[in-house]
Amino acid sequence: MVLEFEKPIADLEQKLQEMKDLAKGRNIDLTSDIESLEEKILALKKETFQNLTRWQRVQLSRHADRPYALDYIYEITNDFIELHGDRTVADDKAMVGGLGDIDGRTVMFIGQQKGRNTKQRQMRNFGMANPEGYRKALRLMKMAEKFGKPIVTLIDTPGAFPGLEAEERGQGEAIARNLREMFMLKVPVICIIIGEGASGGALGIAIGDRVMMLENSWYSVISPENCSTILWRSWDYKEQAAESLKLTAIDMKGNGLIDDIIPEPLGGAHKDMKKMALTLKETIAKALKELDKIKPEKRIEQRIDKFCSMGVVVE
């Protein structure tokens, strides 16, 4: 899958491959030409990805090859054990969670999971959790608290499922309860937006001591398309909406809504998933080391103060 703004790079990469095939097939020395073209491609990549528009970052966050929550969890943990069900209604496949080992330490992972193909997307409900998904997440958080295990949430959702049946089963109440309970968790909580972070669906597992975003993810009360539909009654203004929403990691950091930005490999997380997973693992380990030094009561106090200060303007 090649995005529109990536086509000039893809064209040069195709020419590079053709040049390599020609050199190999006809036994011609094109080393200098190949190196020159490789340098040109690298320079174009750096220029392109350092100057992405907000809408282009939204597109990258949705890339079909972008790693999802379980991709990262299985890559960075040993002996991951997935846990299922909310013990009330069902097991929501859009919300996943379980215990995994990071360098000898057990961590409770919770995240939204999308699907790669049509069948998986239907099973995962496109990463849009129902109330039982948020109740499962809270059950796992409480289990982690009971056994003194830190919590890491990986956020990637276009929003909580907006269906009638979800509302009937208490979608708003389930998310609101998660917000309240996450403020009071006694164990360290790290929240990372790895792709899309839309509305209360994202916020329902995003109250933590450290809130971070991958470089090409977004976090907002609404998606650019839905914002465009509401304001202009058309999806045609989604790029303008993305600019107005200021939803990128750089925007969120500038507004004090997140703590850190996690860099991605050049071209996006999908270009080198193993490298991205290693960066994620190191970031989590570093944050846990910092949070371990703070007493639970102090962590809770700091967590509450951090979120209560958001949106407050001092003149």
Side-chain angles (χ1 to χ4, degrees), residues 34 62 68 89 115 162 188 222 224 250 306 312:
I34 289 172
R62 298 170 175 170
Y68 295 146
V89 177
I222 193 171
I250 295 172
K306 179 170 70 172
V312 176

Side-chain angles (χ1 to χ4, degrees), residues 95 111-112 134 137 141 153-155 178 182 191 202-207:
M95 188 76 74
Q112 286 118 347
Y134 291 97
M141 291 177 201
T153 67
L154 302 176
I155 298 131
N178 277 24
M182 288 188 78
C191 307
L203 198 59
I205 58 168
I207 305 296

Side-chain angles (χ1 to χ4, degrees), residues 18 21 24 37 63 88 102 110 124 128 143 156 188 219 228 257:
E18 291 172 355
D21 292 340
K24 184 178 180 181
L37 187 53
H63 197 286
T88 304
I102 295 183
I110 299 167
R124 300 290 184 184
M128 297 185 293
M143 180 187 295
D156 187 12
Y219 195 25
S228 176
L257 300 176

Side-chain angles (χ1 to χ4, degrees), residues 22-35:
L22 179 63
K24 184 178 180 181
R26 298 191 180 183
N27 197 25
I28 304 172
D29 185 10
L30 297 175
T31 304
S32 61
D33 295 315
I34 289 172
E35 289 177 353

Side-chain angles (χ1 to χ4, degrees), residues 3-108:
L3 299 172
E4 187 67 31
F5 63 88
E6 293 178 305
K7 286 183 179 179
I9 299 171
D11 291 341
L12 286 180
E13 287 178 333
Q14 184 178 349
K15 289 180 181 178
L16 177 63
Q17 187 59 49
E18 291 172 355
M19 191 179 293
K20 288 180 177 178
D21 292 340
L22 179 63
K24 184 178 180 181
R26 298 191 180 183
N27 197 25
I28 304 172
D29 185 10
L30 297 175
T31 304
S32 61
D33 295 315
I34 289 172
E35 289 177 353
S36 177
L37 187 53
E38 285 176 338
E39 289 175 4
K40 186 176 179 180
I41 291 171
L42 181 59
L44 181 58
K45 280 184 178 180
K46 288 180 178 179
E47 181 184 357
T48 300
F49 290 100
Q50 285 174 358
N51 297 286
L52 292 176
T53 67
R54 292 182 173 91
W55 173 244
Q56 287 169 342
R57 291 197 187 276
V58 171
Q59 289 179 295
L60 266 182
S61 76
R62 298 170 175 170
H63 197 286
D65 299 326
R66 192 171 177 86
Y68 295 146
L70 285 176
D71 296 322
Y72 287 125
I73 291 170
Y74 281 114
E75 186 65 31
I76 68 179
T77 66
N78 300 314
D79 304 320
F80 175 68
I81 302 173
E82 186 173 354
L83 302 173
H84 301 273
D86 70 337
R87 300 297 185 265
T88 304
V89 177
D91 180 38
D92 191 335
K93 302 296 184 182
M95 188 76 74
V96 297
L99 295 165
D101 180 278
I102 295 183
D103 295 334
R105 182 173 187 178
T106 302
V107 176
M108 178 66 80

Side-chain angles (χ1 to χ4, degrees), residues 20-306:
K20 288 180 177 178
D21 292 340
L22 179 63
K24 184 178 180 181
R26 298 191 180 183
N27 197 25
I28 304 172
D29 185 10
L30 297 175
T31 304
S32 61
D33 295 315
I34 289 172
E35 289 177 353
S36 177
L37 187 53
E38 285 176 338
E39 289 175 4
K40 186 176 179 180
I41 291 171
L42 181 59
L44 181 58
K45 280 184 178 180
K46 288 180 178 179
E47 181 184 357
T48 300
F49 290 100
Q50 285 174 358
N51 297 286
L52 292 176
T53 67
R54 292 182 173 91
W55 173 244
Q56 287 169 342
R57 291 197 187 276
V58 171
Q59 289 179 295
L60 266 182
S61 76
R62 298 170 175 170
H63 197 286
D65 299 326
R66 192 171 177 86
Y68 295 146
L70 285 176
D71 296 322
Y72 287 125
I73 291 170
Y74 281 114
E75 186 65 31
I76 68 179
T77 66
N78 300 314
D79 304 320
F80 175 68
I81 302 173
E82 186 173 354
L83 302 173
H84 301 273
D86 70 337
R87 300 297 185 265
T88 304
V89 177
D91 180 38
D92 191 335
K93 302 296 184 182
M95 188 76 74
V96 297
L99 295 165
D101 180 278
I102 295 183
D103 295 334
R105 182 173 187 178
T106 302
V107 176
M108 178 66 80
F109 284 90
I110 299 167
Q112 286 118 347
Q113 177 70 20
K114 297 177 179 177
R116 292 286 175 199
N117 53 43
T118 302
K119 186 175 181 180
Q120 288 181 2
R121 286 167 188 155
Q122 288 178 330
M123 180 185 75
R124 300 290 184 184
N125 202 28
F126 299 87
M128 297 185 293
N130 279 279
E132 50 268 29
Y134 291 97
R135 289 174 182 136
K136 174 168 76 172
L138 181 58
R139 181 177 77 83
L140 299 186
M141 291 177 201
K142 288 295 187 180
M143 180 187 295
E145 183 181 44
K146 179 179 180 180
F147 293 103
K149 306 302 180 185
I151 299 165
V152 174
T153 67
L154 302 176
I155 298 131
D156 187 12
T157 180
F161 184 58
L164 177 62
E165 61 272 31
E167 297 299 331
E168 289 174 341
R169 293 198 299 274
Q171 185 72 287
E173 186 275 341
I175 293 173
R177 184 179 294 271
N178 277 24
L179 302 185
R180 185 188 70 182
E181 296 295 334
M182 288 188 78
F183 275 117
M184 305 309 295
L185 290 169
K186 296 177 182 178
V187 293
V189 183
I190 300 169
C191 307
I192 305 172
I193 295 94
I194 60 172
E196 299 186 89
S199 194
L203 198 59
I205 58 168
I207 305 296
D209 303 297
R210 297 287 185 274
V211 180
M212 295 174 270
M213 292 176 68
L214 265 60
E215 184 180 352
N216 294 309
S217 61
W218 64 272
Y219 195 25
S220 176
V221 70
I222 193 171
S223 71
E225 293 92 335
N226 288 334
C227 179
S228 176
T229 301
I230 291 171
L231 295 181
W232 292 282
R233 301 184 184 279
S234 168
W235 277 28
D236 296 340
Y237 299 91
K238 54 185 179 292
E239 295 182 41
Q240 185 176 337
E243 290 298 319
S244 298
L245 286 169
K246 293 181 172 57
L247 39 60
T248 67
I250 295 172
D251 296 318
M252 294 294 106
K253 183 74 166 64
N255 289 326
L257 300 176
I258 64 168
D259 299 297
D260 288 300
I261 300 172
I262 303 173
E264 297 184 20
L266 186 61
H270 58 286
K271 293 295 184 181
D272 192 341
M273 198 277 278
K274 289 188 178 295
K275 181 179 180 181
M276 186 70 252
L278 179 60
T279 301
L280 208 58
K281 181 178 180 179
E282 291 172 348
T283 301
I284 292 169
K286 180 182 177 182
L288 287 178
K289 189 175 180 180
E290 293 172 356
L291 293 171
D292 285 340
K293 298 175 182 178
I294 308 171
K295 292 183 178 180
E297 296 77 13
K298 187 65 176 178
R299 274 202 309 267
I300 292 171
E301 182 183 337
Q302 290 178 353
R303 197 184 301 158
I304 292 171
D305 289 343
K306 179 170 70 172

